[in-house]
Amino acid sequence: MEPLFLYNTLTRQKEKFQPLNPPLVGMYVCGPTVYSDVHLGNCRTFISFDMIYRYLLHAGFKVRYVRNITDAGHLEGDLDEGDDKFAKKAKIEQVEPMEIVQKYTLGFHEVMALFNNLPPGIEPTATGHISEQIEMTKKIIVQGFAYVTNGTVYFDVEKYCTNNNYGILSNRKLDDLLTNTRELNGQDEKKGRLDFALWINAKPEHIMRWPSPWGWGFPGWHIECSAMSMKYLGEQFDIHGGGMDLIATHHTNEVAQSVACNSTQPVKYWMHTNMLTVNGARMSKSAGNGFLPKELFTGNHPLLERGYQPMVVRFFMMQTHYRSTLDFSNEALKASEKGFERMMNAIRLLDNLKISNSSSVNIAELKTLCYAAMNDDFNTPVLIAHLFDGVRLINSINDSKETITETDLVELKKLYHNFVFSVMGLKEETTAKNNDELAEGLMNAILAIRKEVRSKKDFTTSDLIRDELKKINIIVKDTKDGAVWEQEN
RNA sequence: GGUCCUGUGGCCGAGAGGCUAGGCUGAGCUCUGCAAAAGCUCCUACAGCGGUUCGAAUCCGCUCGGGACCUCCA
């Protein structure tokens, strides 16, 4: 197999992928903070990494995929004081914080399943790893990179910077970080402006709290990922992923914590997915321009003309490279829907293609092109372009304009099965498609009648049947092998 | 204010010094009783202005537009 190249945020270039301990691959992806519904932008990241996970598996790697659930410690704002997101939401909804966590964790899993994402091998929660986070914090203090103020433990960025490059991931200089920023207030406890909390002292009214060497409190946002990735993947592992928005703060701090704790760079390849935008602006929870997956599927949203099926949305995302912004619009979605249908129709044809003694099509070349696209930093849009070239071949073979041998056909089927289903994680949308026995029976009867009148050249009746069926979104097509029907959504 | 990314045909989106993306849409043709599907053909673009080069959408500079990060966010 040809080598795989991927873009490493750490070095800002594409690098040949060489795992630390092949064929094992350790991959950690920052999961959701479960205090509200995941929106489509969040989903894009998880879908992108699902594709990456799937391709690594397909390439023969033995991947340990860890994706966390953040269910504690994520504060509102960067003031390192006050309520965390769960406590705040719990107050609004008048329930326990863990009810919030449970509700949105279940919702998250439901959405992931709808998008046909494979579950990660390990899905650890922050609250399930409090002691690991405390241990790591202790070690960072021992190493001299953190200090305690009023029961809160802060990471000492300035101290860290004497021997380490804090801005290694974001490609920023410390001086710029210190000078170029907007005014923040309420930071009296910190020594340095960039310092961040590893452990946070819980105020009396704070519900989610655990005992620690520094009193009752809860973990900071960044420490969980460092502690949990270390626990399950080791002090050094291959891939750490997340959205690009996490680079500057969350991942920068993760690197600092791990280096301070273990004196080694924790991650070999940092991978980041780009943002989903709506009308050119980033989709985000705070901006209030987020789409919920459910709204997208049902079409129940002011900006949507109608609903789109999960696989159409997934295909839509696959048509853009994971490191490019993807702008969301009805037109783009509709175009993807048509294209997806076209591709799935061709794949269905694969089972009925006529075999010839020779091939007029070059399957080996197509296969080479597909792998080349994926090996070039998981370039799914280029992969799809090649697969559409193949769709034309399939249709031409079906129309007897091209020929294929049995061996080549087996290869071709394998190619589409591998790339479309296994790697891109797409599948047939089965909803309301010929799977209702009653509908099947009725349609057979109606089409039999239509066939009868057509044999008598009674096209008026024939067309009447077709037009009437169209009114209830049933499309009848006359092929050379007789009439077929399908339901439009 | 600082740092950085980006500007591709009607729309979406790849590519990245010389060859050509791909999807959707529109027009025409073939097939068909007619449709539909499918195939073929056409509409052949790289923000603007300069520069480097035999040659630039691709490199450099400037101008204009869009965006991200520096505050929580995938």
Side-chain angles (χ1 to χ4, degrees), chain A residues 7 45 242-248 272-275 322-324:
Chain A
Y7 183 87
T45 293
M244 273 184 181
D245 51 338
L246 298 180
I247 295 173
H272 292 96
T273 57
N274 214 136
M275 300 293 104
Y322 77 90
R323 284 193 294 113
S324 298

Side-chain angles (χ1 to χ4, degrees), chain A residues 438-449 485:
Chain A
L438 178 65
E440 192 71 39
L442 287 171
M443 283 309 298
N444 285 345
I446 292 166
L447 291 181
I449 295 165
W485 66 280

Side-chain angles (χ1 to χ4, degrees), chain A residues 399-468:
Chain A
D399 292 344
S400 304
K401 285 171 184 158
E402 302 276 1
T403 60
I404 192 165
T405 62
E406 188 171 9
T407 324
D408 274 352
L409 181 57
V410 170
E411 272 294 301
L412 190 60
K413 279 186 194 173
K414 207 163 78 183
L415 184 79
Y416 276 80
H417 181 89
N418 282 341
F419 282 109
V420 177
F421 302 130
S422 300
V423 173
M424 287 198 284
L426 297 162
K427 62 177 182 182
E428 287 266 17
E429 288 287 8
T430 50
T431 46
K433 272 232 158 94
N434 301 17
N435 54 359
D436 182 326
E437 260 182 57
L438 178 65
E440 192 71 39
L442 287 171
M443 283 309 298
N444 285 345
I446 292 166
L447 291 181
I449 295 165
R450 184 161 175 274
K451 189 179 175 188
E452 178 62 23
V453 299
R454 279 165 63 80
S455 71
K456 292 171 185 162
K457 301 262 184 244
D458 178 4
F459 294 116
T460 314
T461 308
S462 169
D463 289 349
L464 177 70
I465 292 170
R466 189 171 62 194
D467 293 344
E468 286 299 314

